[in-house]
Amino acid sequence: MPVIAGVGTAVPPHLITQNQCRDFARRLFGGAFRDIDRLLAVFESAQIETRHFAAPIEWFEASHSFAEKNTLYLTHAVKLAAEAIRACLQKTNLAPEDIDHLVFVSSTGIATPSLDAHLFNELGLRQNLKRTPIWGLGCAGGTAGLARGYDLALAHPGETVLVCALELCGLTFLHGDRSKSNLIATSLFADGCAAVLLLGDDAARQHPELAENAPRILGSASTIWPDTMDVMGWDVQEEGLKVVFSKDIPSIVESKIRPQIERFLQDQQLSRADLRAFIAHPGGMKVLQAYQEALDLPDELLHYSRTILRTHGNMSSCTVLFVLAQELQKPHQPGEHGLALSLGPGFSCEQVLLQW
């Protein structure tokens, strides 16, 4: 089965504290809500301390066109993705020309040629590189990208597959949007990038030092629920991408996630009690609490998800891969199982099962 050989991460240079974000939100949204102080409590309840952004906080004080934002997206995305990929390759002692297939995941900007083509030039990747750009999966994209990378490595056991998830959520901010959903998004979202290297069976045998003590991917599952299109996504407007973010997400987690996860684990002759790692995308503290209550999870299984949320915020698709990077630093006994899980637009759920 395909092996996760390593993970590299990168964040942009502008570190902004949650207190700075709250003060900014007070200035921007204060005139739109009489009960602004009550609403600003969300910045504390999010339990986020710091976040990274491609633009300084002063940039958010003014309105910007969709074209301007997307130009910045392209510039910063290529730089940040190249940094994450180089960090991943450095950990695995492989070179850019060793990559056979690049899966690139993003939902916060558009580019044609796609960003994988830009990275081909930036990194000096092979001319016969296979490329699979994935757009529009939002927060589910990191786990979905991992699952599609698994599919490719399973089908082509001699190949090395790189999955890169890049999101610049900050650049989608709509200065003129005074909605409550935009206020909530201002308390949560951030920028980042992560790259994961997968080895097919034959490729892993060629690099035994990378496969040793590394988790294998045993399988994946995708679920999309009917009539949930309005739960999460983008509403495209002249100024850019307006966030759609339903307050019902935690309740949906509580009602729908447990049977889906149990079904997937049962297909693998496992139960929730067999999991020694729960690599959950931290969409927010309420979502993590819903996971814990719905699945009866011990606190330690959500430790890394809470840590990444506290130090990086919600970086959409790549956040779960930051959690995975933390999990890979922890020693695991051979045979232990872990589950990567993300929710996203659709409304959908993506799962990947790991075994050390």
Side-chain angles (χ1 to χ4, degrees), residues 263-327:
R263 189 178 306 115
F264 177 46
L265 292 176
Q266 286 170 4
D267 290 342
Q268 304 289 333
Q269 289 78 52
L270 297 170
S271 69
R272 207 293 300 155
D274 293 311
L275 297 179
R276 294 296 177 268
F278 194 74
I279 304 159
H281 166 69
M285 190 54 62
K286 288 185 177 180
V287 174
L288 291 179
Q289 290 170 349
Y291 280 141
Q292 186 164 14
E293 293 173 7
L295 299 169
D296 193 25
L297 298 174
D299 285 343
E300 60 266 22
L301 284 190
L302 289 170
H303 171 72
Y304 293 128
S305 292
R306 289 194 176 101
T307 297
I308 292 300
L309 182 64
R310 185 179 71 252
T311 58
H312 291 76
N314 182 344
M315 299 171 286
S316 190
S317 68
C318 64
T319 322
V320 70
L321 304 181
F322 275 68
V323 179
L324 175 63
Q326 293 279 306
E327 191 68 50

Short mmCIF file of all heavy atoms in Angstrom, two decimals, residues 263-327:
data_model
loop_
_atom_site.label_atom_id
_atom_site.label_comp_id
_atom_site.label_asym_id
_atom_site.label_seq_id
_atom_site.Cartn_x
_atom_site.Cartn_y
_atom_site.Cartn_z
N ARG A 263 -19.24 3.32 9.45
CA ARG A 263 -19.42 2.50 8.25
C ARG A 263 -18.08 2.27 7.54
O ARG A 263 -17.77 1.15 7.12
CB ARG A 263 -20.40 3.18 7.31
CG ARG A 263 -20.84 2.33 6.12
CD ARG A 263 -21.86 3.06 5.27
NE ARG A 263 -22.98 3.54 6.07
CZ ARG A 263 -23.28 4.81 6.28
NH1 ARG A 263 -22.53 5.76 5.75
NH2 ARG A 263 -24.32 5.15 7.01
N PHE A 264 -17.29 3.33 7.41
CA PHE A 264 -15.98 3.22 6.76
C PHE A 264 -15.06 2.29 7.54
O PHE A 264 -14.39 1.42 6.96
CB PHE A 264 -15.36 4.61 6.62
CG PHE A 264 -13.98 4.63 6.02
CD1 PHE A 264 -13.68 3.89 4.88
CD2 PHE A 264 -12.98 5.40 6.59
CE1 PHE A 264 -12.40 3.92 4.33
CE2 PHE A 264 -11.71 5.43 6.05
CZ PHE A 264 -11.42 4.69 4.91
N LEU A 265 -15.02 2.46 8.86
CA LEU A 265 -14.16 1.62 9.69
C LEU A 265 -14.62 0.16 9.66
O LEU A 265 -13.80 -0.77 9.63
CB LEU A 265 -14.12 2.15 11.12
CG LEU A 265 -13.43 3.50 11.32
CD1 LEU A 265 -13.55 3.96 12.76
CD2 LEU A 265 -11.96 3.43 10.92
N GLN A 266 -15.92 -0.07 9.69
CA GLN A 266 -16.43 -1.43 9.63
C GLN A 266 -16.03 -2.12 8.33
O GLN A 266 -15.73 -3.32 8.31
CB GLN A 266 -17.95 -1.43 9.78
CG GLN A 266 -18.43 -1.15 11.20
CD GLN A 266 -19.93 -0.92 11.29
OE1 GLN A 266 -20.65 -1.04 10.29
NE2 GLN A 266 -20.40 -0.58 12.48
N ASP A 267 -16.01 -1.36 7.24
CA ASP A 267 -15.56 -1.92 5.97
C ASP A 267 -14.11 -2.39 6.03
O ASP A 267 -13.70 -3.27 5.27
CB ASP A 267 -15.71 -0.88 4.85
CG ASP A 267 -17.16 -0.60 4.50
OD1 ASP A 267 -18.03 -1.43 4.86
OD2 ASP A 267 -17.42 0.44 3.88
N GLN A 268 -13.36 -1.79 6.96
CA GLN A 268 -11.95 -2.16 7.15
C GLN A 268 -11.76 -3.09 8.35
O GLN A 268 -10.64 -3.31 8.80
CB GLN A 268 -11.12 -0.89 7.37
CG GLN A 268 -11.24 0.15 6.27
CD GLN A 268 -10.57 -0.26 4.99
OE1 GLN A 268 -9.62 -1.03 5.00
NE2 GLN A 268 -11.05 0.27 3.86
N GLN A 269 -12.88 -3.65 8.86
CA GLN A 269 -12.87 -4.53 10.03
C GLN A 269 -12.28 -3.83 11.25
O GLN A 269 -11.52 -4.42 12.05
CB GLN A 269 -12.10 -5.84 9.76
CG GLN A 269 -12.80 -6.79 8.82
CD GLN A 269 -12.68 -6.39 7.36
OE1 GLN A 269 -11.57 -6.16 6.88
NE2 GLN A 269 -13.79 -6.33 6.66
N LEU A 270 -12.64 -2.56 11.43
CA LEU A 270 -12.16 -1.77 12.55
C LEU A 270 -13.33 -1.06 13.22
O LEU A 270 -14.43 -0.98 12.69
CB LEU A 270 -11.15 -0.71 12.07
CG LEU A 270 -9.84 -1.21 11.44
CD1 LEU A 270 -9.09 -0.05 10.81
CD2 LEU A 270 -8.98 -1.92 12.47
N SER A 271 -13.05 -0.52 14.42
CA SER A 271 -14.01 0.32 15.12
C SER A 271 -13.31 1.59 15.58
O SER A 271 -12.07 1.70 15.50
CB SER A 271 -14.58 -0.42 16.33
OG SER A 271 -13.58 -0.59 17.33
N ARG A 272 -14.08 2.56 16.08
CA ARG A 272 -13.48 3.80 16.56
C ARG A 272 -12.45 3.54 17.64
O ARG A 272 -11.42 4.22 17.73
CB ARG A 272 -14.61 4.71 17.08
CG ARG A 272 -14.33 6.20 17.03
CD ARG A 272 -13.24 6.65 17.96
NE ARG A 272 -13.53 6.37 19.35
CZ ARG A 272 -12.61 6.23 20.30
NH1 ARG A 272 -11.32 6.30 20.00
NH2 ARG A 272 -12.95 5.97 21.53
N ALA A 273 -12.66 2.53 18.46
CA ALA A 273 -11.73 2.22 19.55
C ALA A 273 -10.37 1.78 19.04
O ALA A 273 -9.38 1.80 19.79
CB ALA A 273 -12.33 1.13 20.45
N ASP A 274 -10.28 1.37 17.77
CA ASP A 274 -9.00 0.94 17.20
C ASP A 274 -8.12 2.11 16.78
O ASP A 274 -6.94 1.91 16.47
CB ASP A 274 -9.24 0.03 15.99
CG ASP A 274 -9.89 -1.28 16.37
OD1 ASP A 274 -9.39 -1.92 17.31
OD2 ASP A 274 -10.89 -1.66 15.73
N LEU A 275 -8.66 3.32 16.75
CA LEU A 275 -7.90 4.48 16.28
C LEU A 275 -6.97 4.99 17.36
O LEU A 275 -7.38 5.24 18.49
CB LEU A 275 -8.85 5.59 15.84
CG LEU A 275 -9.78 5.29 14.65
CD1 LEU A 275 -10.67 6.50 14.37
CD2 LEU A 275 -8.97 4.93 13.42
N ARG A 276 -5.70 5.17 16.99
CA ARG A 276 -4.72 5.76 17.89
C ARG A 276 -4.31 7.16 17.43
O ARG A 276 -3.49 7.82 18.09
CB ARG A 276 -3.49 4.86 17.97
CG ARG A 276 -3.77 3.51 18.64
CD ARG A 276 -4.17 3.71 20.10
NE ARG A 276 -4.53 2.45 20.76
CZ ARG A 276 -5.75 1.96 20.83
NH1 ARG A 276 -6.76 2.64 20.29
NH2 ARG A 276 -6.01 0.82 21.43
N ALA A 277 -4.87 7.59 16.30
CA ALA A 277 -4.63 8.94 15.81
C ALA A 277 -5.89 9.41 15.10
O ALA A 277 -6.48 8.66 14.30
CB ALA A 277 -3.44 8.97 14.85
N PHE A 278 -6.31 10.63 15.40
CA PHE A 278 -7.48 11.21 14.75
C PHE A 278 -7.04 12.55 14.18
O PHE A 278 -6.89 13.54 14.89
CB PHE A 278 -8.62 11.39 15.75
CG PHE A 278 -9.95 11.68 15.12
CD1 PHE A 278 -10.65 10.68 14.47
CD2 PHE A 278 -10.49 12.95 15.17
CE1 PHE A 278 -11.88 10.95 13.88
CE2 PHE A 278 -11.72 13.23 14.59
CZ PHE A 278 -12.42 12.22 13.94
N ILE A 279 -6.77 12.55 12.88
CA ILE A 279 -6.16 13.70 12.21
C ILE A 279 -7.28 14.51 11.57
O ILE A 279 -7.59 14.39 10.39
CB ILE A 279 -5.13 13.21 11.17
CG1 ILE A 279 -4.10 12.31 11.86
CG2 ILE A 279 -4.44 14.38 10.48
CD1 ILE A 279 -3.37 11.38 10.93
N ALA A 280 -7.92 15.34 12.38
CA ALA A 280 -9.12 16.05 11.95
C ALA A 280 -8.78 17.46 11.50
O ALA A 280 -7.99 18.17 12.15
CB ALA A 280 -10.13 16.11 13.10
N HIS A 281 -9.40 17.87 10.40
CA HIS A 281 -9.31 19.28 10.01
C HIS A 281 -10.00 20.13 11.07
O HIS A 281 -11.19 19.93 11.35
CB HIS A 281 -9.98 19.51 8.66
CG HIS A 281 -10.22 20.96 8.37
ND1 HIS A 281 -9.19 21.82 8.11
CD2 HIS A 281 -11.36 21.69 8.32
CE1 HIS A 281 -9.69 23.03 7.91
NE2 HIS A 281 -11.01 22.98 8.03
N PRO A 282 -9.28 21.06 11.69
CA PRO A 282 -9.89 21.88 12.74
C PRO A 282 -10.65 23.07 12.16
O PRO A 282 -10.16 24.19 12.12
CB PRO A 282 -8.68 22.32 13.58
CG PRO A 282 -7.56 22.36 12.59
CD PRO A 282 -7.84 21.31 11.56
N GLY A 283 -11.86 22.81 11.70
CA GLY A 283 -12.65 23.89 11.11
C GLY A 283 -12.95 25.00 12.09
O GLY A 283 -13.19 26.14 11.70
N GLY A 284 -12.97 24.68 13.35
CA GLY A 284 -13.22 25.62 14.41
C GLY A 284 -13.36 24.85 15.71
O GLY A 284 -13.52 23.62 15.70
N MET A 285 -13.31 25.54 16.83
CA MET A 285 -13.36 24.85 18.11
C MET A 285 -14.70 24.14 18.30
O MET A 285 -14.76 23.03 18.83
CB MET A 285 -13.12 25.83 19.25
CG MET A 285 -12.92 25.16 20.60
SD MET A 285 -11.62 23.87 20.60
CE MET A 285 -10.17 24.88 20.17
N LYS A 286 -15.80 24.74 17.84
CA LYS A 286 -17.10 24.09 17.97
C LYS A 286 -17.17 22.81 17.15
O LYS A 286 -17.80 21.83 17.54
CB LYS A 286 -18.22 25.05 17.57
CG LYS A 286 -18.48 26.17 18.57
CD LYS A 286 -19.67 27.00 18.16
CE LYS A 286 -19.97 28.08 19.19
NZ LYS A 286 -21.15 28.91 18.78
N VAL A 287 -16.52 22.82 15.98
CA VAL A 287 -16.49 21.62 15.15
C VAL A 287 -15.69 20.51 15.83
O VAL A 287 -16.11 19.34 15.85
CB VAL A 287 -15.91 21.94 13.76
CG1 VAL A 287 -15.75 20.66 12.92
CG2 VAL A 287 -16.80 22.93 13.02
N LEU A 288 -14.56 20.86 16.43
CA LEU A 288 -13.77 19.86 17.14
C LEU A 288 -14.54 19.30 18.34
O LEU A 288 -14.48 18.10 18.62
CB LEU A 288 -12.44 20.48 17.60
CG LEU A 288 -11.44 20.82 16.49
CD1 LEU A 288 -10.18 21.44 17.08
CD2 LEU A 288 -11.08 19.59 15.66
N GLN A 289 -15.26 20.16 19.04
CA GLN A 289 -16.08 19.70 20.16
C GLN A 289 -17.19 18.77 19.67
O GLN A 289 -17.51 17.77 20.32
CB GLN A 289 -16.68 20.90 20.89
CG GLN A 289 -15.65 21.72 21.66
CD GLN A 289 -16.21 23.03 22.17
OE1 GLN A 289 -17.31 23.45 21.81
NE2 GLN A 289 -15.44 23.71 23.01
N ALA A 290 -17.74 19.08 18.48
CA ALA A 290 -18.78 18.21 17.91
C ALA A 290 -18.20 16.85 17.54
O ALA A 290 -18.84 15.81 17.75
CB ALA A 290 -19.40 18.88 16.70
N TYR A 291 -16.99 16.84 16.98
CA TYR A 291 -16.32 15.57 16.71
C TYR A 291 -16.17 14.75 17.99
O TYR A 291 -16.47 13.55 18.03
CB TYR A 291 -14.91 15.81 16.15
CG TYR A 291 -14.84 16.16 14.69
CD1 TYR A 291 -13.93 17.12 14.23
CD2 TYR A 291 -15.65 15.53 13.74
CE1 TYR A 291 -13.85 17.46 12.89
CE2 TYR A 291 -15.56 15.85 12.40
CZ TYR A 291 -14.66 16.82 11.98
OH TYR A 291 -14.57 17.14 10.66
N GLN A 292 -15.68 15.41 19.03
CA GLN A 292 -15.40 14.70 20.28
C GLN A 292 -16.67 14.12 20.88
O GLN A 292 -16.68 12.96 21.33
CB GLN A 292 -14.73 15.65 21.27
CG GLN A 292 -14.27 14.95 22.55
CD GLN A 292 -13.28 15.80 23.34
OE1 GLN A 292 -13.13 16.99 23.09
NE2 GLN A 292 -12.59 15.17 24.28
N GLU A 293 -17.74 14.90 20.87
CA GLU A 293 -19.00 14.41 21.46
C GLU A 293 -19.65 13.33 20.59
O GLU A 293 -20.15 12.33 21.11
CB GLU A 293 -19.95 15.58 21.65
CG GLU A 293 -19.47 16.58 22.71
CD GLU A 293 -20.32 17.83 22.77
OE1 GLU A 293 -21.36 17.85 22.08
OE2 GLU A 293 -19.95 18.77 23.49
N ALA A 294 -19.63 13.52 19.28
CA ALA A 294 -20.29 12.56 18.39
C ALA A 294 -19.59 11.22 18.37
O ALA A 294 -20.22 10.16 18.24
CB ALA A 294 -20.37 13.13 16.99
N LEU A 295 -18.25 11.24 18.52
CA LEU A 295 -17.47 10.01 18.40
C LEU A 295 -16.92 9.52 19.72
O LEU A 295 -16.22 8.50 19.76
CB LEU A 295 -16.30 10.24 17.42
CG LEU A 295 -16.71 10.63 16.00
CD1 LEU A 295 -15.49 11.10 15.21
CD2 LEU A 295 -17.37 9.46 15.30
N ASP A 296 -17.22 10.24 20.80
CA ASP A 296 -16.74 9.87 22.13
C ASP A 296 -15.22 9.73 22.12
O ASP A 296 -14.65 8.72 22.55
CB ASP A 296 -17.39 8.55 22.59
CG ASP A 296 -17.17 8.28 24.07
OD1 ASP A 296 -16.95 9.25 24.82
OD2 ASP A 296 -17.19 7.10 24.46
N LEU A 297 -14.55 10.77 21.65
CA LEU A 297 -13.09 10.75 21.52
C LEU A 297 -12.41 11.23 22.80
O LEU A 297 -12.84 12.22 23.39
CB LEU A 297 -12.65 11.66 20.37
CG LEU A 297 -13.13 11.31 18.96
CD1 LEU A 297 -12.72 12.40 17.99
CD2 LEU A 297 -12.58 9.96 18.52
N PRO A 298 -11.34 10.59 23.21
CA PRO A 298 -10.54 11.13 24.32
C PRO A 298 -9.83 12.40 23.89
O PRO A 298 -9.56 12.60 22.70
CB PRO A 298 -9.54 10.00 24.62
CG PRO A 298 -9.47 9.20 23.37
CD PRO A 298 -10.81 9.29 22.71
N ASP A 299 -9.54 13.27 24.84
CA ASP A 299 -8.93 14.56 24.54
C ASP A 299 -7.65 14.43 23.72
O ASP A 299 -7.39 15.24 22.82
CB ASP A 299 -8.61 15.32 25.84
CG ASP A 299 -9.86 15.91 26.48
OD1 ASP A 299 -10.88 16.02 25.78
OD2 ASP A 299 -9.80 16.24 27.67
N GLU A 300 -6.83 13.43 24.04
CA GLU A 300 -5.52 13.33 23.40
C GLU A 300 -5.61 13.12 21.90
O GLU A 300 -4.68 13.47 21.16
CB GLU A 300 -4.67 12.24 24.05
CG GLU A 300 -5.26 10.84 24.00
CD GLU A 300 -6.05 10.50 25.25
OE1 GLU A 300 -6.49 11.44 25.94
OE2 GLU A 300 -6.22 9.30 25.52
N LEU A 301 -6.70 12.53 21.42
CA LEU A 301 -6.80 12.29 19.98
C LEU A 301 -7.03 13.57 19.18
O LEU A 301 -6.81 13.58 17.96
CB LEU A 301 -7.93 11.29 19.67
CG LEU A 301 -7.64 9.82 19.97
CD1 LEU A 301 -8.74 8.94 19.39
CD2 LEU A 301 -6.28 9.40 19.42
N LEU A 302 -7.44 14.64 19.84
CA LEU A 302 -7.64 15.91 19.16
C LEU A 302 -6.58 16.95 19.53
O LEU A 302 -6.71 18.12 19.18
CB LEU A 302 -9.03 16.46 19.47
CG LEU A 302 -10.20 15.70 18.83
CD1 LEU A 302 -11.53 16.18 19.40
CD2 LEU A 302 -10.17 15.86 17.32
N HIS A 303 -5.54 16.51 20.19
CA HIS A 303 -4.50 17.43 20.67
C HIS A 303 -3.87 18.21 19.53
O HIS A 303 -3.76 19.45 19.58
CB HIS A 303 -3.43 16.67 21.45
CG HIS A 303 -2.23 17.50 21.80
ND1 HIS A 303 -2.27 18.48 22.76
CD2 HIS A 303 -0.97 17.52 21.28
CE1 HIS A 303 -1.08 19.06 22.86
NE2 HIS A 303 -0.28 18.51 21.96
N TYR A 304 -3.44 17.52 18.48
CA TYR A 304 -2.74 18.21 17.39
C TYR A 304 -3.69 19.10 16.58
O TYR A 304 -3.28 20.16 16.11
CB TYR A 304 -2.05 17.19 16.48
CG TYR A 304 -0.92 16.46 17.17
CD1 TYR A 304 -0.85 15.07 17.17
CD2 TYR A 304 0.09 17.16 17.83
CE1 TYR A 304 0.18 14.40 17.80
CE2 TYR A 304 1.13 16.50 18.46
CZ TYR A 304 1.17 15.11 18.45
OH TYR A 304 2.19 14.45 19.08
N SER A 305 -4.94 18.68 16.43
CA SER A 305 -5.90 19.53 15.73
C SER A 305 -6.10 20.84 16.50
O SER A 305 -6.15 21.92 15.92
CB SER A 305 -7.23 18.81 15.57
OG SER A 305 -7.12 17.72 14.68
N ARG A 306 -6.22 20.73 17.82
CA ARG A 306 -6.39 21.94 18.64
C ARG A 306 -5.13 22.82 18.60
O ARG A 306 -5.22 24.05 18.57
CB ARG A 306 -6.72 21.55 20.08
CG ARG A 306 -8.11 20.96 20.27
CD ARG A 306 -8.49 20.91 21.75
NE ARG A 306 -9.85 20.42 21.94
CZ ARG A 306 -10.15 19.18 22.31
NH1 ARG A 306 -9.19 18.29 22.54
NH2 ARG A 306 -11.41 18.82 22.45
N THR A 307 -3.97 22.18 18.60
CA THR A 307 -2.72 22.92 18.57
C THR A 307 -2.59 23.73 17.29
O THR A 307 -2.24 24.92 17.32
CB THR A 307 -1.53 21.96 18.71
OG1 THR A 307 -1.59 21.31 19.98
CG2 THR A 307 -0.21 22.71 18.60
N ILE A 308 -2.85 23.09 16.15
CA ILE A 308 -2.74 23.80 14.87
C ILE A 308 -3.79 24.91 14.78
O ILE A 308 -3.50 26.01 14.29
CB ILE A 308 -2.88 22.80 13.70
CG1 ILE A 308 -1.67 21.86 13.66
CG2 ILE A 308 -3.02 23.54 12.37
CD1 ILE A 308 -0.33 22.57 13.47
N LEU A 309 -4.99 24.66 15.26
CA LEU A 309 -6.01 25.71 15.26
C LEU A 309 -5.54 26.89 16.10
O LEU A 309 -5.71 28.05 15.70
CB LEU A 309 -7.33 25.17 15.79
CG LEU A 309 -8.50 26.15 15.81
CD1 LEU A 309 -8.87 26.58 14.39
CD2 LEU A 309 -9.70 25.56 16.53
N ARG A 310 -4.95 26.63 17.26
CA ARG A 310 -4.52 27.70 18.15
C ARG A 310 -3.38 28.53 17.53
O ARG A 310 -3.36 29.75 17.66
CB ARG A 310 -4.05 27.12 19.48
CG ARG A 310 -3.69 28.20 20.51
CD ARG A 310 -3.25 27.60 21.83
NE ARG A 310 -1.94 26.96 21.75
CZ ARG A 310 -1.72 25.66 21.79
NH1 ARG A 310 -2.73 24.82 21.92
NH2 ARG A 310 -0.50 25.18 21.71
N THR A 311 -2.44 27.88 16.85
CA THR A 311 -1.24 28.57 16.37
C THR A 311 -1.34 29.04 14.92
O THR A 311 -0.56 29.91 14.50
CB THR A 311 -0.02 27.66 16.50
OG1 THR A 311 -0.25 26.44 15.76
CG2 THR A 311 0.24 27.31 17.96
N HIS A 312 -2.30 28.47 14.15
CA HIS A 312 -2.37 28.81 12.73
C HIS A 312 -3.77 29.20 12.25
O HIS A 312 -3.91 29.70 11.14
CB HIS A 312 -1.89 27.62 11.88
CG HIS A 312 -0.42 27.35 11.99
ND1 HIS A 312 0.14 26.72 13.09
CD2 HIS A 312 0.60 27.61 11.16
CE1 HIS A 312 1.44 26.61 12.91
NE2 HIS A 312 1.75 27.13 11.75
N GLY A 313 -4.81 28.94 13.05
CA GLY A 313 -6.16 29.18 12.59
C GLY A 313 -6.60 28.14 11.57
O GLY A 313 -5.96 27.10 11.41
N ASN A 314 -7.70 28.44 10.90
CA ASN A 314 -8.24 27.55 9.87
C ASN A 314 -7.68 27.99 8.52
O ASN A 314 -8.10 29.01 7.98
CB ASN A 314 -9.77 27.61 9.89
CG ASN A 314 -10.41 26.67 8.88
OD1 ASN A 314 -9.77 26.18 7.96
ND2 ASN A 314 -11.70 26.42 9.05
N MET A 315 -6.78 27.21 7.96
CA MET A 315 -6.15 27.50 6.67
C MET A 315 -6.84 26.74 5.54
O MET A 315 -6.23 26.47 4.51
CB MET A 315 -4.67 27.16 6.72
CG MET A 315 -3.87 27.93 7.75
SD MET A 315 -2.18 27.30 7.96
CE MET A 315 -2.50 25.76 8.86
N SER A 316 -8.09 26.37 5.75
CA SER A 316 -8.86 25.61 4.78
C SER A 316 -8.15 24.29 4.45
O SER A 316 -7.72 23.59 5.37
CB SER A 316 -9.13 26.46 3.53
OG SER A 316 -10.08 25.82 2.69
N SER A 317 -8.00 23.94 3.18
CA SER A 317 -7.62 22.58 2.79
C SER A 317 -6.33 22.08 3.42
O SER A 317 -6.22 20.91 3.79
CB SER A 317 -7.52 22.48 1.27
OG SER A 317 -6.43 23.22 0.77
N CYS A 318 -5.33 22.94 3.56
CA CYS A 318 -4.02 22.46 4.00
C CYS A 318 -3.94 22.23 5.50
O CYS A 318 -2.98 21.60 5.98
CB CYS A 318 -2.92 23.43 3.57
SG CYS A 318 -3.03 25.08 4.31
N THR A 319 -4.92 22.69 6.27
CA THR A 319 -4.83 22.62 7.73
C THR A 319 -4.69 21.19 8.22
O THR A 319 -3.91 20.89 9.13
CB THR A 319 -6.05 23.28 8.39
OG1 THR A 319 -6.44 24.43 7.65
CG2 THR A 319 -5.73 23.69 9.82
N VAL A 320 -5.45 20.27 7.66
CA VAL A 320 -5.39 18.87 8.09
C VAL A 320 -4.01 18.29 7.83
O VAL A 320 -3.55 17.40 8.57
CB VAL A 320 -6.49 18.04 7.41
CG1 VAL A 320 -6.21 17.87 5.91
CG2 VAL A 320 -6.66 16.69 8.08
N LEU A 321 -3.31 18.77 6.82
CA LEU A 321 -1.97 18.27 6.52
C LEU A 321 -0.95 18.84 7.51
O LEU A 321 0.07 18.20 7.78
CB LEU A 321 -1.60 18.60 5.08
CG LEU A 321 -2.58 18.07 4.02
CD1 LEU A 321 -2.10 18.42 2.62
CD2 LEU A 321 -2.78 16.57 4.17
N PHE A 322 -1.21 20.03 8.06
CA PHE A 322 -0.39 20.54 9.17
C PHE A 322 -0.57 19.63 10.39
O PHE A 322 0.40 19.34 11.10
CB PHE A 322 -0.80 21.97 9.53
CG PHE A 322 -0.14 23.03 8.69
CD1 PHE A 322 -0.44 23.17 7.34
CD2 PHE A 322 0.77 23.91 9.26
CE1 PHE A 322 0.15 24.15 6.57
CE2 PHE A 322 1.37 24.91 8.50
CZ PHE A 322 1.06 25.03 7.14
N VAL A 323 -1.80 19.20 10.64
CA VAL A 323 -2.06 18.26 11.74
C VAL A 323 -1.35 16.94 11.48
O VAL A 323 -0.74 16.36 12.38
CB VAL A 323 -3.58 18.04 11.90
CG1 VAL A 323 -3.85 17.05 13.04
CG2 VAL A 323 -4.30 19.36 12.18
N LEU A 324 -1.39 16.47 10.24
CA LEU A 324 -0.69 15.24 9.88
C LEU A 324 0.81 15.37 10.13
O LEU A 324 1.45 14.43 10.63
CB LEU A 324 -0.95 14.92 8.40
CG LEU A 324 -0.19 13.72 7.81
CD1 LEU A 324 -0.57 12.43 8.51
CD2 LEU A 324 -0.45 13.63 6.30
N ALA A 325 1.38 16.51 9.79
CA ALA A 325 2.82 16.73 10.02
C ALA A 325 3.15 16.60 11.50
O ALA A 325 4.19 16.02 11.87
CB ALA A 325 3.23 18.10 9.50
N GLN A 326 2.29 17.13 12.37
CA GLN A 326 2.49 16.99 13.82
C GLN A 326 2.38 15.52 14.23
O GLN A 326 3.20 15.03 15.03
CB GLN A 326 1.43 17.81 14.56
CG GLN A 326 1.54 19.30 14.39
CD GLN A 326 2.58 19.91 15.31
OE1 GLN A 326 2.56 19.71 16.51
NE2 GLN A 326 3.50 20.67 14.73
N GLU A 327 1.40 14.83 13.70
CA GLU A 327 1.19 13.42 14.06
C GLU A 327 2.37 12.56 13.65
O GLU A 327 2.73 11.59 14.36
CB GLU A 327 -0.09 12.90 13.41
CG GLU A 327 -0.55 11.55 13.91
CD GLU A 327 -1.04 11.57 15.35
OE1 GLU A 327 -1.87 12.43 15.70
OE2 GLU A 327 -0.57 10.71 16.13
#
